[in-house]
Amino acid sequence: MKAAILDGIVLGLQYGLLGVGLTLVYGLGGVLNLAHGQLAVLGAIITALSFDAGLPIVPAIAVGLACAATAGLVLDLTLMRPVYRLRGEPRVLLGLLLMLGLAFIIDGFLVWRYPIQSLSIRIGGDPIPILGVRMRTGSLIASAVTIAAGASLVAFFRLTTAGRAVRSVIQDEEGARLCGINPARVRTFIFALSGFLACLVAVTRSMTAPVTVTNGIDFTTLALIVAVVGGLGSVSGAFLAGIVLGIVNTISSFYIGTYITTIMLLVAAALTIVIRPSGILGGRT
Amino acid sequence: MTGRSPLSEPLLTVSDVSAGYLGEDVVHDVTFTVGEGDAVAIIGSNGAGKTTLFRTICGMMQNTGGTVTFGGTDITTAGAHQVARAGLAYVPAERHLFPEMSVRDNLILGAYPDRPSAERMALVFELFPRLAERERQHAGTMSGGEQQMVAVGRALMSEPTLLMLDEPTTGLAPKLAAEAYQALAALREQGLTVLIAEQQVPLALALADRGYVLENGRIQLAGTSEELASNPDVRRAYLGVA
């Protein structure tokens, strides 16, 4: 039980990192990025290809992360341009459709070109006991990276001027412009950051289980559930939701079975929409 | 119009500006200037076009004709964030604060992209001691009067050369409205240039040196505050005097 909860928290932080990018892109520009998981997998596969091509693993990961971030940046500056010109419902719908189409394209391309490629980072060494639970080195490193990334993000949003600027655009775009903040620049930066974070989650996941070319939809679904439960646009909500869902996930797969976990998560998301439509923290950024 | 030297270029020059929504102009060929150190009021009733005019000047919306020059630069097509960074701070009637952020964070963002200096923060707290007490409170949970203080304080954080306010007394009780104007008078004494849109004409004319009367999107009358306050038409229409 203790192991399940500890596992759940680590998994939950990964969920949080995955959801936070989706939630921010939506909060800033009204675009529900249905290709979020595909960007993660794209970065992971590029990491695997770079490694196969002879790069050491750390630089290979850096290449993957850089590519995922660049993909986000380029998407914002190209495909999303006509979307941002629209307002209200048409913007949400066009964003949704374009990103869904992109998800299919990335999935299709990867399956066609690299059908058996996957990223699996194996880290050796004996299990290390943490709070009486023996954890593998791979999951420990994954946890450490995830916690560090989560903490840096929170610090960025709470303490830096740039982080405050991002939150200000979500809370009141017109107010942000009056302060001299350019919302378009903020959106581009966040789209790139969300690609980076999604890829980082894929890389840390690959330290405990392989990430394959068909995993995009799984990551997207998870990110969507986390963002909905946390409240679209809420950073702290995404992390809280991630941790709650991570624990739900590990406990239900521990006591019931892995087959039930995605259903449990979707039930949690559906319940949230019914009980608290604006998310567990009530739509706070 | 005023006694200023014709050689010194005004801080803000609005010439022949027209603007509107969906192809229909609400503001027609408006021309006026604001010199450095001036306090100018644009008075007019609800729907006269004051907000549209102000939103056009600060870059929130595009004009359909005319030009706006600020500090010697043409800002007609500049975006709102560029205008703000050039030193023109605008406080809209709806305030547009960041509701889920503390008073302090709202003020910090006012200085964007710089980190605010401690002196600047102290200056705002001196002007509005209430904000110092409520530093950590979320802006969205404050009363209308307090939110107005945050909005003005946030605008001041950027050390603007021109402060533009659209109906700063919106939703305020008469006592609070008078207090808001006292704060503006204090700023004005420190030499800040102020451009204000207002339908509470007595308050506006008490603060400003001169004013323009905007009716149906056109400037109908211009003059010093004394001239306007004694003009029979203005007295009838805005000062409730027959």
Side-chain angles (χ1 to χ4, degrees):
Chain A
M1 183 68 190
K2 201 156 77 175
I5 290 179
L6 205 61
D7 264 1
I9 292 174
V10 171
L11 187 69
L13 283 169
Q14 290 186 357
Y15 285 3
L17 280 186
L18 198 59
V20 90
L22 190 92
T23 215
L24 282 172
V25 167
Y26 184 81
L28 284 169
V31 172
L32 200 53
N33 182 0
L34 292 181
H36 192 64
Q38 277 74 10
L39 289 183
V41 170
L42 188 70
I45 297 303
I46 291 173
T47 302
L49 293 172
S50 313
F51 184 68
D52 289 351
L55 269 188
I57 189 64
V58 174
I61 291 173
V63 169
L65 289 171
C67 286
T70 311
L73 184 119
V74 170
L75 272 178
D76 183 80
L77 293 177
T78 56
L79 197 59
M80 291 298 107
R81 287 301 280 276
V83 177
Y84 294 142
R85 258 182 240 125
L86 300 174
R87 293 268 170 270
E89 207 169 275
R91 180 194 273 200
V92 174
L93 287 176
L94 183 64
L96 201 88
L97 290 175
L98 286 179
M99 295 319 283
L100 186 61
L102 182 76
F104 282 126
I105 291 172
I106 296 178
D107 268 346
F109 175 77
L110 289 177
V111 170
W112 164 61
R113 205 65 191 75
Y114 308 103
I116 51 159
Q117 189 62 256
S118 67
L119 179 65
S120 181
I121 300 173
R122 285 187 201 81
I123 298 161
D126 291 325
I128 299 162
I130 299 286
L131 299 172
V133 180
R134 289 161 61 79
M135 291 185 77
R136 285 182 300 160
T137 323
S139 13
L140 270 183
I141 292 178
S143 315
V145 170
T146 308
I147 291 168
S152 321
L153 262 190
V154 171
F156 170 73
F157 284 114
R158 296 274 147 208
L159 305 175
T160 71
T161 305
R164 286 193 186 94
V166 174
R167 287 162 60 215
S168 79
V169 177
I170 298 176
Q171 292 185 17
D172 195 314
E173 185 169 331
E174 190 157 325
R177 291 168 71 198
L178 293 176
C179 289
I181 296 161
N182 182 352
R185 287 269 294 278
V186 170
R187 276 196 288 266
T188 308
F189 165 70
I190 286 300
F191 223 119
L193 181 70
S194 98
F196 176 89
L197 290 174
C199 180
L200 189 69
V201 172
V203 166
T204 53
R205 279 291 279 278
S206 77
M207 293 175 186
T208 50
V211 172
T212 68
V213 287
T214 53
N215 278 150
I217 179 72
D218 306 324
F219 282 121
T220 303
T221 311
L222 270 177
L224 203 59
I225 293 173
V226 170
V228 165
V229 173
L232 282 163
S234 169
V235 174
S236 33
F239 276 108
L240 189 59
I243 290 170
V244 170
L245 294 173
I247 294 172
V248 168
N249 185 338
T250 47
I251 288 180
S252 58
S253 61
F254 188 74
Y255 286 104
I256 310 171
T258 325
Y259 63 92
I260 207 85
T261 54
T262 312
I263 298 168
M264 293 292 284
L265 295 181
L266 282 166
V267 167
L271 280 177
T272 310
I273 293 178
V274 172
I275 300 165
R276 286 193 71 116
S278 53
I280 43 181
L281 287 185
R284 288 161 52 165
T285 60
Chain B
M1 222 171 288
T2 55
R4 277 178 306 104
S5 145
L7 290 173
S8 74
E9 197 180 321
L11 182 61
L12 179 76
T13 307
V14 175
S15 30
D16 295 321
V17 163
S18 299
Y21 307 88
L22 304 168
E24 186 116 3
D25 278 358
V26 177
V27 167
H28 311 274
D29 305 313
V30 167
T31 297
F32 71 93
T33 61
V34 179
E36 222 170 311
D38 281 1
V40 175
I42 306 286
I43 58 182
S45 52
N46 228 339
K50 302 188 298 294
T51 300
T52 305
L53 176 63
F54 271 32
R55 285 175 62 83
T56 306
I57 294 171
C58 81
M60 278 292 170
M61 55 185 281
Q62 224 20 273
N63 61 334
T64 52
T67 55
V68 182
T69 325
F70 176 67
T73 332
D74 188 332
I75 57 162
T76 313
T77 55
H81 64 279
Q82 292 162 318
V83 175
R85 287 203 200 185
L88 193 162
Y90 173 50
V91 181
E94 320 81 54
R95 298 169 190 130
H96 288 288
L97 297 177
F98 309 122
E100 303 287 343
M101 280 194 227
S102 67
V103 168
R104 190 179 187 83
D105 279 354
N106 269 275
L107 294 179
I108 287 175
L109 281 166
Y112 188 89
D114 302 320
R115 277 212 157 252
S117 68
E119 299 89 71
R120 202 66 196 171
M121 197 72 104
L123 196 129
V124 169
F125 285 153
E126 195 187 313
L127 187 69
F128 302 117
R130 188 105 183 111
L131 296 188
E133 295 163 22
R134 301 277 170 124
E135 214 184 326
R136 305 204 171 277
Q137 191 177 333
H138 277 187
T141 64
M142 302 183 97
S143 71
E146 289 163 343
Q147 290 195 8
Q148 184 59 36
M149 295 177 196
V150 179
V152 174
R154 187 178 71 179
L156 291 174
M157 290 302 291
S158 61
E159 308 189 20
T161 41
L162 172 62
L163 180 65
M164 261 171 73
L165 304 112
D166 185 13
E167 309 232 350
T169 55
T170 303
L172 299 190
K175 183 170 166 281
L176 288 173
E179 272 177 31
Y181 266 86
Q182 277 160 21
L184 294 177
L187 287 170
R188 178 150 165 46
E189 259 165 47
Q190 292 164 23
L192 186 67
T193 312
V194 180
L195 174 62
I196 195 159
E198 187 59 91
Q199 44 178 333
Q200 303 220 28
V201 177
L203 284 172
L205 289 184
L207 177 82
D209 331 284
R210 57 198 177 84
Y212 298 85
V213 178
L214 195 68
E215 267 170 21
N216 298 321
R218 289 176 205 281
I219 288 185
Q220 299 293 358
L221 206 58
T224 64
S225 296
E226 293 80 28
E227 284 164 13
L228 290 178
S230 57
N231 180 298
D233 291 337
V234 173
R235 288 169 71 86
R236 200 174 316 111
Y238 302 106
L239 299 176
V241 188

